[in-house]
Amino acid sequence: MHVTSASLVPYNTFGLNHTAEQLVELTTREQLQSLWQAYPQMPLLVGEGSNLLFTEAYAGLVLVNRLKGKQITETEDAWLVKVEGGENWHQLVCWCLEHGMPGLENLSLIPGTVGASPVQNIGAYGVELAQFCSQVESFDWQSGEYKTWSVAECDFGYRDSVFKHEARSHLIVSVTFCLPKAWQPVLGYGPLAELGEAATAAEIFERVCATRQAKLPDPAVLGNAGSFFKNPKVVTAQAEALKLAWPALPVFAAEPGLSKLAAGWLIEQADLKGVQVGGAGVHTQQALVLVNHGGATAADVLQLAALVRERVEQRFGVRLEPEVRMIGAAGETYLDEALACLN
C-alpha cells in the first residue's frame, strides 16, 4: 500500500494545480480492508477526475479507483456484463461493441470510469446508464462490508443517484450491465435522427464520437470537466413562455409538469461564448463547457461559473445548477460555499 502526499493534477481533467494530503491508488480489493482499518474517515473517491473541480488543497486521503476486470454471463435474452469500477468507461463501450453486445453506443466518449458512472447516472443522446444497469456492488466505509444494490435501490434520477446522497459512504467496486439481445437503436436526439431506423450500433457509435469530438475539447489539450452545468428543469408553463419569446430554444419533455431546457443554448444566447475570467473561459464551440486556457485557478473557474449563472438568470429567469462535483479542503462543497471561501 503506497500512501504519499501528491499533486492532484493527474487526477482532475481540469488540470488545476492542487494537492492531497495523502493519496492511494486502489488496484486490488484486498487493499480495501486494510485501508478501511487504517483510515476510519471516509476517503475522497476518485476515478479519472473527469467530473471534479478541486476548489482548494484536499486535507485528507484521496483513494483512486484502479480496479480492473470484466466478466460475461449470458441468458436467453441478454448479456450480463460485470465490470470492475476502475475500468475506463469509453473503453468498455468499445469492448462491448467489439464482442457483439450493443446498447451503450449512445454513451460513447463520456469521460471517466465505470465506478463513477452510476453516481451521476451518466447519460447522452436519449440514453441513461440506469436503462442498462442490472446491479451495483459497493464497499461501505462505515461498516467495512460489501453491499449489492438493485436498480430500484440505486434511486436513479437525472444525473443523480442514491450514491450522491444517503450512500455517500459507499465506494463502487463493480457495476453489472444487462444488454438485451433484442437491440433497438435510440435515434431521437440531435444528429442521430439523420441516420434513419436502419442504423447499426457501429454507425451510432461513430456518429456520437464524431459529434462529441467536434463540440467538446479534449481534456488532454484543453483542461475541462465536460458539461459544467445541468440542463435545467422548469415547469412546463415557464418553458412554453420561454419558447414563445425564443422559438429556437430547445425544449425536451421531462417528468409530468416539467420540461428540460438546453443549458448550453441558454449560455450561448446570453453572449457568454469565449468569455474569460483569468485563465478560465467559456468554450467557443460548446458553451456548456468551461475550460482551462492555461494556468487557471479554482478561483477563476468559480467566478466564471458564477458569472454564467448570473447572466443566464438575468436574461431567462432560469437558474443553472452545476453538474460538476466541487471538492473543498474537507470534501464536497457547492458553488456559493466555495465562492464564500475565496473571500
Side-chain angles (χ1 to χ4, degrees):
M1 179 171 53
H2 183 56
V3 182
T4 179
S5 176
S7 167
L8 290 170
V9 172
Y11 302 101
N12 78 102
T13 58
F14 245 120
L16 299 185
N17 188 19
H18 287 307
T19 59
E21 188 176 316
Q22 296 173 307
L23 185 142
V24 174
E25 288 199 351
L26 178 70
T27 56
T28 68
R29 293 193 182 207
E30 288 71 28
Q31 289 174 271
L32 278 173
Q33 204 65 36
S34 55
L35 282 167
W36 174 69
Q37 291 170 347
Y39 297 92
Q41 178 140 357
M42 176 76 173
L44 174 66
L45 308 175
V46 173
E48 294 180 354
S50 57
N51 195 48
L52 290 179
L53 173 63
F54 287 102
T55 64
E56 53 191 321
Y58 185 70
L61 172 66
V62 170
L63 187 59
V64 184
N65 191 343
R66 292 291 181 259
L67 297 174
K68 298 295 174 72
K70 309 181 195 76
Q71 295 177 340
I72 303 173
T73 56
E74 194 171 343
T75 69
E76 186 178 341
D77 301 321
W79 294 282
L80 296 175
V81 186
K82 181 180 180 181
V83 188
E84 295 293 287
E87 292 280 359
N88 175 272
W89 175 264
H90 179 65
Q91 290 174 11
L92 169 66
V93 176
C94 296
W95 182 86
C96 286
L97 288 174
E98 288 165 5
H99 286 76
M101 299 182 295
L104 302 178
E105 55 281 342
N106 291 55
L107 305 179
S108 304
L109 272 186
I110 292 180
T113 59
V114 169
S117 63
V119 180
Q120 284 288 106
N121 184 23
I122 60 172
Y125 299 104
V127 172
E128 289 186 330
L129 173 127
Q131 295 166 238
F132 295 100
C133 182
S134 174
Q135 64 182 36
V136 174
E137 181 188 14
S138 70
F139 180 84
D140 185 355
W141 212 269
Q142 289 183 344
S143 67
E145 297 177 347
Y146 288 89
K147 174 179 170 62
T148 300
W149 302 75
S150 68
V151 176
E153 289 174 319
C154 291
D155 197 20
F156 287 124
Y158 173 58
R159 305 298 176 267
D160 200 17
S161 72
V162 69
F163 304 106
K164 291 181 77 170
H165 305 287
E166 298 87 39
R168 288 169 68 176
S169 65
H170 287 253
L171 183 161
I172 295 173
V173 293
S174 77
V175 183
T176 300
F177 301 91
C178 180
L179 303 176
K181 293 179 179 178
W183 174 80
Q184 292 290 327
V186 178
L187 303 167
Y189 271 66
L192 300 187
E194 303 165 4
L195 293 175
E197 291 299 323
T200 65
E203 288 171 337
I204 293 171
F205 172 84
E206 290 167 5
R207 182 63 63 91
V208 169
C209 288
T211 302
R212 291 183 71 91
Q213 287 168 333
K215 285 186 172 183
L216 301 173
D218 182 349
V221 178
L222 195 61
N224 71 90
S227 299
F228 196 93
F229 295 97
K230 296 179 183 179
N231 288 324
K233 291 181 182 178
V234 300
V235 295
T236 299
Q238 183 181 3
E240 290 171 350
L242 287 168
K243 188 78 173 170
L244 283 174
W246 288 277
L249 169 65
V251 177
F252 307 99
E255 56 259 44
L258 294 177
S259 296
K260 190 188 299 181
L261 310 180
W265 189 92
L266 297 174
I267 296 167
E268 182 174 351
Q269 296 305 309
D271 299 320
L272 287 159
K273 264 190 175 180
V275 168
Q276 289 190 220
V277 173
V282 179
H283 189 45
T284 54
Q285 296 298 113
Q286 171 51 273
L288 194 53
V289 178
L290 304 188
V291 299
N292 179 358
H293 286 292
T297 65
D300 294 340
V301 179
L302 292 169
Q303 288 167 355
L304 178 62
L307 174 65
V308 169
R309 185 178 66 176
E310 179 185 0
R311 291 258 188 98
V312 168
E313 190 167 19
Q314 284 175 345
R315 182 150 197 185
F316 298 102
V318 175
R319 190 171 180 84
L320 297 180
E321 178 184 347
E323 180 176 323
V324 169
R325 186 179 172 210
M326 300 184 185
I327 307 295
E332 195 101 19
T333 187
Y334 300 93
L335 181 55
D336 290 325
E337 186 177 29
L339 286 165
C341 290
L342 299 178
N343 302 322

Coordinates of all heavy atoms in Angstrom, one line a residue, residues 221-310:
V221 N -5.7 18.3 -24.1 CA -5.3 19.5 -24.8 C -5.7 20.8 -24.1 O -5.0 21.8 -24.0 CB -5.8 19.5 -26.3 CG1 -5.4 20.7 -27.0 CG2 -5.3 18.2 -27.0
L222 N -7.0 20.8 -23.7 CA -7.6 22.0 -23.0 C -8.4 21.5 -21.8 O -9.4 20.9 -21.9 CB -8.5 22.7 -24.0 CG -9.0 24.1 -23.7 CD1 -7.8 25.0 -23.7 CD2 -10.0 24.5 -24.8
G223 N -7.8 21.8 -20.6 CA -8.4 21.3 -19.4 C -9.9 21.6 -19.3 O -10.3 22.8 -19.5
N224 N -10.7 20.6 -18.9 CA -12.1 20.9 -18.7 C -12.7 19.7 -18.0 O -12.1 18.6 -17.9 CB -12.9 21.1 -20.0 CG -13.0 19.9 -20.9 OD1 -14.0 19.1 -20.8 ND2 -12.0 19.6 -21.7
A225 N -13.9 19.8 -17.5 CA -14.6 18.7 -16.8 C -15.9 18.3 -17.5 O -16.9 17.9 -16.9 CB -14.9 19.1 -15.3
G226 N -15.9 18.5 -18.8 CA -17.1 18.2 -19.6 C -18.2 19.2 -19.3 O -17.9 20.4 -19.1
S227 N -19.5 18.8 -19.4 CA -20.6 19.7 -19.2 C -20.5 20.3 -17.8 O -20.6 19.5 -16.8 CB -21.9 19.0 -19.4 OG -22.0 18.5 -20.7
F228 N -20.4 21.6 -17.6 CA -20.3 22.2 -16.3 C -21.6 22.3 -15.6 O -21.7 22.2 -14.4 CB -19.6 23.5 -16.4 CG -19.0 24.0 -15.1 CD1 -17.7 23.7 -14.7 CD2 -19.9 24.7 -14.2 CE1 -17.3 24.2 -13.5 CE2 -19.4 25.1 -13.0 CZ -18.1 24.9 -12.6
F229 N -22.7 22.6 -16.4 CA -24.0 22.8 -15.8 C -25.0 21.7 -16.2 O -24.9 21.2 -17.3 CB -24.5 24.2 -16.2 CG -23.8 25.3 -15.6 CD1 -22.8 26.0 -16.4 CD2 -24.0 25.8 -14.4 CE1 -22.1 27.0 -15.9 CE2 -23.3 26.9 -13.9 CZ -22.3 27.5 -14.6
K230 N -25.9 21.4 -15.4 CA -27.0 20.5 -15.8 C -28.0 21.3 -16.7 O -28.1 22.5 -16.6 CB -27.8 20.1 -14.5 CG -27.0 19.3 -13.5 CD -27.9 18.9 -12.3 CE -27.2 18.2 -11.2 NZ -28.1 17.8 -10.1
N231 N -28.7 20.5 -17.5 CA -29.8 21.1 -18.3 C -30.9 21.3 -17.3 O -31.4 20.4 -16.6 CB -30.3 20.1 -19.4 CG -29.3 20.1 -20.5 OD1 -28.7 21.1 -20.9 ND2 -29.1 18.9 -21.1
P232 N -31.4 22.6 -17.1 CA -32.3 22.9 -16.1 C -33.7 22.4 -16.4 O -34.2 22.4 -17.6 CB -32.3 24.4 -16.0 CG -31.9 24.8 -17.4 CD -30.9 23.8 -17.9
K233 N -34.4 22.0 -15.3 CA -35.8 21.6 -15.5 C -36.7 22.8 -14.9 O -36.4 23.3 -13.9 CB -36.1 20.3 -14.6 CG -35.5 19.1 -15.2 CD -35.9 17.9 -14.4 CE -35.2 16.6 -14.9 NZ -35.5 15.4 -14.0
V234 N -37.7 23.1 -15.7 CA -38.6 24.2 -15.3 C -40.0 23.7 -15.5 O -40.3 22.7 -16.2 CB -38.4 25.5 -16.1 CG1 -37.0 26.0 -15.9 CG2 -38.7 25.2 -17.6
V235 N -41.0 24.3 -14.8 CA -42.4 24.0 -15.0 C -42.7 24.2 -16.5 O -42.2 25.1 -17.1 CB -43.4 24.7 -14.1 CG1 -43.1 24.4 -12.6 CG2 -43.2 26.2 -14.3
T236 N -43.6 23.4 -17.0 CA -43.9 23.4 -18.5 C -44.4 24.7 -18.9 O -44.1 25.2 -20.0 CB -44.8 22.2 -18.8 OG1 -44.2 21.0 -18.5 CG2 -45.2 22.3 -20.3
A237 N -45.2 25.4 -18.1 CA -45.8 26.7 -18.4 C -44.6 27.7 -18.7 O -44.7 28.5 -19.6 CB -46.7 27.2 -17.3
Q238 N -43.6 27.7 -17.8 CA -42.4 28.6 -18.0 C -41.7 28.2 -19.3 O -41.3 29.1 -20.0 CB -41.5 28.5 -16.8 CG -40.3 29.5 -16.9 CD -39.4 29.4 -15.7 OE1 -39.5 28.5 -14.8 NE2 -38.4 30.2 -15.7
A239 N -41.5 26.9 -19.6 CA -40.9 26.5 -20.8 C -41.6 27.0 -22.0 O -41.0 27.5 -23.0 CB -40.7 25.0 -20.8
E240 N -42.9 26.9 -22.0 CA -43.8 27.4 -23.1 C -43.7 28.9 -23.3 O -43.6 29.3 -24.5 CB -45.2 26.9 -22.9 CG -45.4 25.4 -23.0 CD -46.8 25.0 -22.5 OE1 -47.5 25.8 -22.0 OE2 -47.2 23.8 -22.8
A241 N -43.6 29.6 -22.2 CA -43.5 31.1 -22.3 C -42.1 31.4 -22.9 O -42.0 32.3 -23.7 CB -43.6 31.7 -20.9
L242 N -41.1 30.7 -22.5 CA -39.7 31.0 -23.0 C -39.7 30.6 -24.5 O -39.0 31.3 -25.3 CB -38.7 30.2 -22.2 CG -38.4 30.7 -20.8 CD1 -37.6 29.7 -20.0 CD2 -37.6 32.0 -20.8
K243 N -40.4 29.6 -24.9 CA -40.4 29.1 -26.3 C -41.1 30.2 -27.2 O -40.7 30.4 -28.3 CB -41.1 27.8 -26.4 CG -41.0 27.1 -27.7 CD -39.6 26.5 -28.0 CE -39.6 25.7 -29.2 NZ -38.3 25.3 -29.6
L244 N -42.1 30.8 -26.6 CA -42.8 31.9 -27.4 C -41.8 33.0 -27.6 O -41.8 33.6 -28.7 CB -44.0 32.4 -26.6 CG -45.2 31.4 -26.7 CD1 -46.3 32.0 -25.8 CD2 -45.7 31.3 -28.1
A245 N -41.0 33.4 -26.6 CA -40.1 34.5 -26.7 C -38.9 34.2 -27.6 O -38.4 35.0 -28.3 CB -39.7 35.0 -25.3
W246 N -38.4 32.9 -27.4 CA -37.2 32.4 -28.1 C -37.6 31.1 -28.9 O -37.3 30.0 -28.3 CB -36.0 32.2 -27.2 CG -35.4 33.5 -26.7 CD1 -34.5 34.3 -27.3 CD2 -35.7 34.1 -25.4 NE1 -34.2 35.4 -26.5 CE2 -34.9 35.3 -25.4 CE3 -36.6 33.8 -24.3 CZ2 -34.9 36.1 -24.3 CZ3 -36.6 34.7 -23.3 CH2 -35.8 35.8 -23.2
P247 N -38.2 31.2 -30.0 CA -38.6 30.0 -30.7 C -37.6 28.9 -31.0 O -37.9 27.7 -31.1 CB -39.2 30.5 -32.1 CG -39.6 31.9 -31.8 CD -38.5 32.4 -30.8
A248 N -36.3 29.3 -31.0 CA -35.2 28.3 -31.3 C -34.8 27.6 -30.1 O -34.0 26.7 -30.1 CB -34.0 29.1 -31.9
L249 N -35.3 27.9 -28.9 CA -34.9 27.3 -27.6 C -35.2 25.8 -27.7 O -36.4 25.4 -27.8 CB -35.6 28.0 -26.5 CG -35.5 27.3 -25.1 CD1 -34.1 27.3 -24.6 CD2 -36.4 27.9 -24.1
P250 N -34.2 25.0 -27.5 CA -34.5 23.5 -27.4 C -35.2 23.2 -26.1 O -34.7 23.5 -25.0 CB -33.1 22.9 -27.5 CG -32.2 23.9 -28.0 CD -32.8 25.2 -27.5
V251 N -36.3 22.5 -26.2 CA -37.1 22.1 -25.0 C -37.4 20.6 -25.1 O -37.8 20.1 -26.2 CB -38.4 22.9 -24.9 CG1 -39.3 22.4 -23.7 CG2 -38.2 24.4 -24.8
F252 N -37.2 19.9 -24.1 CA -37.4 18.4 -24.1 C -38.4 18.1 -22.9 O -38.4 18.7 -21.9 CB -36.1 17.7 -23.9 CG -35.0 18.1 -24.9 CD1 -34.0 19.0 -24.5 CD2 -35.0 17.6 -26.1 CE1 -33.1 19.4 -25.4 CE2 -34.1 17.9 -27.1 CZ -33.1 18.8 -26.7
A253 N -39.2 17.1 -23.2 CA -40.1 16.6 -22.1 C -39.3 16.0 -21.0 O -38.4 15.2 -21.2 CB -41.1 15.6 -22.7
A254 N -39.7 16.3 -19.8 CA -39.1 15.7 -18.6 C -40.3 14.9 -17.9 O -41.2 14.4 -18.6 CB -38.5 16.7 -17.7
E255 N -40.3 14.8 -16.6 CA -41.4 14.2 -15.9 C -42.7 15.1 -16.0 O -42.6 16.2 -16.4 CB -41.1 13.9 -14.4 CG -40.6 15.1 -13.6 CD -39.1 15.1 -13.5 OE1 -38.4 14.9 -14.5 OE2 -38.6 15.4 -12.4
P256 N -43.8 14.5 -15.7 CA -45.1 15.3 -15.8 C -45.0 16.6 -15.2 O -44.6 16.8 -14.0 CB -46.1 14.4 -15.1 CG -45.6 13.0 -15.3 CD -44.1 13.1 -15.2
G257 N -45.4 17.7 -16.0 CA -45.4 19.0 -15.4 C -44.1 19.8 -15.6 O -44.1 21.0 -15.3
L258 N -43.1 19.1 -16.0 CA -41.8 19.7 -16.1 C -41.2 19.5 -17.5 O -41.5 18.6 -18.2 CB -40.8 19.1 -15.1 CG -41.1 19.3 -13.6 CD1 -40.0 18.6 -12.8 CD2 -41.1 20.8 -13.3
S259 N -40.4 20.5 -17.9 CA -39.7 20.4 -19.2 C -38.2 20.7 -18.9 O -37.9 21.4 -18.0 CB -40.3 21.5 -20.2 OG -41.6 21.2 -20.5
K260 N -37.4 20.2 -19.8 CA -35.9 20.3 -19.7 C -35.5 21.3 -20.8 O -35.8 21.1 -21.9 CB -35.2 19.0 -19.8 CG -33.8 19.0 -19.4 CD -33.1 17.7 -19.7 CE -33.7 16.5 -19.0 NZ -33.0 15.3 -19.3
L261 N -34.6 22.3 -20.4 CA -34.1 23.2 -21.3 C -32.6 22.9 -21.6 O -31.9 22.3 -20.8 CB -34.2 24.6 -20.8 CG -35.6 25.1 -20.2 CD1 -35.5 26.5 -19.7 CD2 -36.6 24.9 -21.3
A262 N -32.1 23.3 -22.8 CA -30.7 23.1 -23.1 C -29.9 24.2 -22.5 O -29.9 25.4 -22.9 CB -30.5 23.1 -24.6
A263 N -29.1 23.9 -21.5 CA -28.3 24.8 -20.8 C -27.3 25.5 -21.7 O -27.0 26.7 -21.6 CB -27.6 24.2 -19.6
G264 N -26.7 24.7 -22.6 CA -25.7 25.3 -23.5 C -26.2 26.4 -24.4 O -25.6 27.4 -24.6
W265 N -27.5 26.2 -24.8 CA -28.2 27.2 -25.7 C -28.4 28.4 -24.9 O -28.2 29.6 -25.4 CB -29.5 26.6 -26.2 CG -30.2 27.5 -27.2 CD1 -30.0 27.4 -28.6 CD2 -31.1 28.5 -27.0 NE1 -30.8 28.3 -29.2 CE2 -31.5 29.1 -28.2 CE3 -31.6 29.1 -25.8 CZ2 -32.3 30.1 -28.4 CZ3 -32.5 30.2 -25.9 CH2 -32.9 30.7 -27.2
L266 N -28.8 28.3 -23.6 CA -29.1 29.5 -22.8 C -27.8 30.3 -22.6 O -27.8 31.5 -22.6 CB -29.7 29.0 -21.4 CG -31.0 28.3 -21.4 CD1 -31.3 27.8 -20.0 CD2 -32.1 29.2 -21.9
I267 N -26.7 29.6 -22.3 CA -25.4 30.2 -22.1 C -25.0 31.0 -23.3 O -24.5 32.1 -23.3 CB -24.4 29.2 -21.6 CG1 -24.8 28.6 -20.3 CG2 -23.0 29.9 -21.5 CD1 -24.0 27.4 -19.9
E268 N -25.1 30.3 -24.5 CA -24.7 30.9 -25.7 C -25.5 32.2 -26.0 O -25.0 33.2 -26.5 CB -24.8 29.9 -26.9 CG -24.4 30.4 -28.2 CD -24.4 29.4 -29.3 OE1 -24.6 28.2 -29.0 OE2 -24.2 29.7 -30.5
Q269 N -26.9 32.1 -25.8 CA -27.7 33.2 -26.1 C -27.5 34.4 -25.1 O -28.0 35.5 -25.4 CB -29.2 32.8 -26.1 CG -29.5 31.8 -27.2 CD -29.1 32.2 -28.6 OE1 -29.5 33.3 -29.0 NE2 -28.4 31.4 -29.3
A270 N -26.9 34.1 -24.0 CA -26.6 35.1 -23.0 C -25.2 35.8 -23.4 O -24.6 36.5 -22.6 CB -26.5 34.6 -21.6
D271 N -24.7 35.5 -24.6 CA -23.5 36.1 -25.1 C -22.3 35.8 -24.3 O -21.4 36.6 -24.0 CB -23.6 37.6 -25.3 CG -24.8 38.0 -26.3 OD1 -24.9 37.3 -27.3 OD2 -25.5 38.9 -26.0
L272 N -22.2 34.5 -23.9 CA -21.1 34.2 -23.0 C -20.0 33.3 -23.6 O -19.0 33.0 -23.0 CB -21.7 33.4 -21.7 CG -22.4 34.3 -20.7 CD1 -23.4 33.5 -19.9 CD2 -21.4 35.0 -19.9
K273 N -20.2 32.9 -24.8 CA -19.2 32.1 -25.5 C -17.9 32.9 -25.6 O -17.9 34.0 -26.0 CB -19.6 31.7 -26.9 CG -20.3 30.3 -27.1 CD -20.4 29.9 -28.5 CE -21.0 28.5 -28.6 NZ -21.1 28.1 -30.1
G274 N -16.8 32.2 -25.2 CA -15.5 32.9 -25.2 C -15.2 33.8 -24.1 O -14.0 34.3 -24.0
V275 N -16.1 34.1 -23.2 CA -15.9 35.0 -22.1 C -14.9 34.3 -21.1 O -14.9 33.1 -20.9 CB -17.2 35.3 -21.3 CG1 -16.9 36.0 -20.0 CG2 -18.1 36.2 -22.2
Q276 N -13.9 35.1 -20.6 CA -12.9 34.6 -19.8 C -12.8 35.3 -18.4 O -13.1 36.5 -18.3 CB -11.5 34.7 -20.4 CG -11.3 33.7 -21.6 CD -9.9 33.7 -22.0 OE1 -9.6 33.6 -23.2 NE2 -8.9 33.7 -21.1
V277 N -12.5 34.6 -17.4 CA -12.1 35.2 -16.1 C -10.7 34.6 -15.8 O -10.6 33.3 -15.5 CB -13.1 34.8 -15.0 CG1 -12.6 35.3 -13.6 CG2 -14.4 35.4 -15.3
G278 N -9.7 35.4 -15.8 CA -8.3 34.8 -15.6 C -8.0 33.8 -16.7 O -8.2 34.0 -17.9
G279 N -7.6 32.6 -16.2 CA -7.2 31.6 -17.2 C -8.4 30.7 -17.5 O -8.2 29.7 -18.3
A280 N -9.6 30.9 -17.0 CA -10.7 30.1 -17.3 C -11.6 30.8 -18.3 O -11.8 32.0 -18.3 CB -11.5 29.8 -16.0
G281 N -12.3 30.0 -19.1 CA -13.1 30.5 -20.2 C -14.3 29.7 -20.5 O -14.3 28.4 -20.3
V282 N -15.3 30.3 -21.1 CA -16.4 29.5 -21.7 C -16.0 29.1 -23.1 O -15.5 29.9 -23.9 CB -17.7 30.4 -21.8 CG1 -18.8 29.6 -22.5 CG2 -18.1 30.9 -20.5
H283 N -16.1 27.8 -23.4 CA -15.5 27.2 -24.6 C -16.2 27.8 -25.8 O -17.5 28.1 -25.8 CB -15.8 25.7 -24.6 CG -15.1 25.0 -25.8 ND1 -13.8 25.2 -26.1 CD2 -15.5 24.0 -26.6 CE1 -13.5 24.5 -27.2 NE2 -14.5 23.7 -27.5
T284 N -15.5 28.1 -26.8 CA -16.0 28.8 -28.0 C -16.9 27.9 -28.9 O -17.7 28.4 -29.6 CB -14.9 29.4 -28.9 OG1 -14.0 28.3 -29.2 CG2 -14.1 30.5 -28.1
Q285 N -16.7 26.6 -28.8 CA -17.5 25.7 -29.6 C -18.7 25.2 -28.9 O -19.8 24.9 -29.5 CB -16.6 24.5 -30.1 CG -15.5 24.9 -31.0 CD -16.0 25.5 -32.3 OE1 -15.8 26.7 -32.5 NE2 -16.7 24.7 -33.1
Q286 N -18.6 24.9 -27.6 CA -19.7 24.4 -26.8 C -19.8 25.2 -25.5 O -19.0 25.0 -24.6 CB -19.4 22.9 -26.5 CG -20.4 22.2 -25.5 CD -21.9 22.4 -25.8 OE1 -22.4 23.5 -25.4 NE2 -22.5 21.5 -26.5
A287 N -20.8 26.0 -25.4 CA -20.9 27.0 -24.2 C -21.1 26.3 -22.9 O -21.0 26.9 -21.8 CB -22.0 28.0 -24.5
L288 N -21.5 25.0 -22.9 CA -21.8 24.3 -21.7 C -20.5 23.9 -21.0 O -20.6 23.5 -19.8 CB -22.6 23.0 -22.0 CG -23.3 22.3 -20.9 CD1 -24.2 23.2 -20.1 CD2 -24.1 21.1 -21.5
V289 N -19.4 24.0 -21.7 CA -18.1 23.6 -21.1 C -17.3 24.8 -20.7 O -17.1 25.7 -21.5 CB -17.4 22.7 -22.2 CG1 -16.0 22.3 -21.6 CG2 -18.2 21.5 -22.6
L290 N -16.8 24.8 -19.5 CA -15.8 25.8 -19.0 C -14.4 25.1 -19.2 O -14.2 23.9 -18.8 CB -16.1 26.2 -17.6 CG -17.5 26.7 -17.3 CD1 -17.5 27.3 -15.9 CD2 -17.9 27.8 -18.3
V291 N -13.4 25.9 -19.6 CA -12.1 25.3 -19.9 C -11.0 26.1 -19.2 O -11.2 27.2 -18.8 CB -11.8 25.4 -21.4 CG1 -12.9 24.5 -22.2 CG2 -11.8 26.8 -22.0
N292 N -9.9 25.4 -19.1 CA -8.7 26.0 -18.5 C -7.7 26.3 -19.7 O -7.2 25.4 -20.3 CB -8.0 24.9 -17.6 CG -6.7 25.4 -17.0 OD1 -6.2 26.5 -17.2 ND2 -6.1 24.6 -16.1
H293 N -7.6 27.6 -20.0 CA -6.7 28.0 -21.1 C -5.3 27.9 -20.7 O -4.4 28.2 -21.6 CB -7.1 29.4 -21.5 CG -8.4 29.5 -22.2 ND1 -8.6 29.0 -23.5 CD2 -9.6 30.1 -21.9 CE1 -9.8 29.3 -23.9 NE2 -10.5 29.9 -23.0
G294 N -5.0 27.6 -19.5 CA -3.6 27.5 -19.1 C -3.4 28.4 -17.8 O -3.6 29.6 -17.9
G295 N -3.0 27.7 -16.7 CA -2.8 28.5 -15.5 C -4.0 28.9 -14.8 O -3.9 29.8 -13.9
A296 N -5.2 28.4 -15.2 CA -6.4 28.8 -14.4 C -6.3 28.4 -13.0 O -5.8 27.3 -12.7 CB -7.6 28.2 -15.1
T297 N -6.9 29.2 -12.1 CA -7.0 28.8 -10.7 C -8.4 28.4 -10.4 O -9.3 28.7 -11.2 CB -6.6 30.0 -9.8 OG1 -7.6 31.0 -10.0 CG2 -5.2 30.5 -10.1
A298 N -8.6 27.7 -9.3 CA -10.0 27.4 -8.9 C -10.9 28.7 -8.8 O -12.0 28.7 -9.1 CB -10.0 26.6 -7.6
A299 N -10.3 29.7 -8.3 CA -11.0 31.0 -8.2 C -11.5 31.5 -9.5 O -12.6 32.0 -9.6 CB -10.1 32.1 -7.5
D300 N -10.6 31.4 -10.5 CA -11.0 31.8 -11.9 C -12.3 31.0 -12.3 O -13.2 31.6 -12.9 CB -9.9 31.5 -12.9 CG -8.7 32.4 -12.7 OD1 -8.8 33.4 -12.0 OD2 -7.6 32.0 -13.2
V301 N -12.2 29.7 -12.1 CA -13.3 28.8 -12.6 C -14.6 29.1 -11.8 O -15.7 29.2 -12.4 CB -13.0 27.3 -12.5 CG1 -14.1 26.5 -12.9 CG2 -11.7 27.0 -13.3
L302 N -14.5 29.3 -10.5 CA -15.7 29.5 -9.7 C -16.3 30.9 -10.0 O -17.5 31.0 -10.1 CB -15.3 29.5 -8.2 CG -14.9 28.2 -7.6 CD1 -14.2 28.3 -6.3 CD2 -16.0 27.2 -7.6
Q303 N -15.5 31.9 -10.2 CA -16.0 33.2 -10.6 C -16.6 33.2 -11.9 O -17.7 33.9 -12.2 CB -14.9 34.3 -10.4 CG -14.5 34.5 -9.0 CD -13.2 35.3 -8.8 OE1 -12.5 35.6 -9.8 NE2 -12.9 35.7 -7.6
L304 N -16.1 32.5 -12.9 CA -16.6 32.4 -14.2 C -18.0 31.6 -14.1 O -19.0 32.1 -14.8 CB -15.7 31.6 -15.1 CG -16.2 31.4 -16.6 CD1 -16.5 32.7 -17.3 CD2 -15.2 30.5 -17.3
A305 N -18.1 30.6 -13.4 CA -19.3 29.8 -13.2 C -20.4 30.7 -12.6 O -21.6 30.7 -13.0 CB -19.1 28.6 -12.3
A306 N -20.0 31.5 -11.6 CA -21.0 32.4 -11.0 C -21.5 33.5 -12.0 O -22.7 33.9 -12.0 CB -20.4 33.1 -9.8
L307 N -20.6 34.0 -12.9 CA -20.9 34.9 -13.9 C -21.9 34.3 -14.9 O -22.9 35.0 -15.3 CB -19.7 35.4 -14.6 CG -19.9 36.4 -15.8 CD1 -20.5 37.7 -15.4 CD2 -18.5 36.6 -16.5
V308 N -21.6 33.1 -15.3 CA -22.5 32.4 -16.3 C -23.9 32.3 -15.6 O -24.9 32.6 -16.3 CB -21.9 31.1 -16.7 CG1 -23.0 30.2 -17.4 CG2 -20.7 31.3 -17.5
R309 N -23.9 31.8 -14.4 CA -25.2 31.6 -13.7 C -26.0 32.9 -13.6 O -27.2 32.9 -13.9 CB -25.0 31.0 -12.3 CG -26.2 30.6 -11.6 CD -25.9 30.0 -10.2 NE -25.2 30.9 -9.3 CZ -24.9 30.7 -8.1 NH1 -25.1 29.5 -7.6 NH2 -24.3 31.6 -7.3
E310 N -25.3 34.0 -13.3 CA -26.0 35.3 -13.1 C -26.5 35.8 -14.4 O -27.7 36.3 -14.5 CB -25.0 36.3 -12.5 CG -25.5 37.7 -12.3 CD -24.5 38.7 -11.8 OE1 -23.3 38.2 -11.7 OE2 -24.8 39.8 -11.7

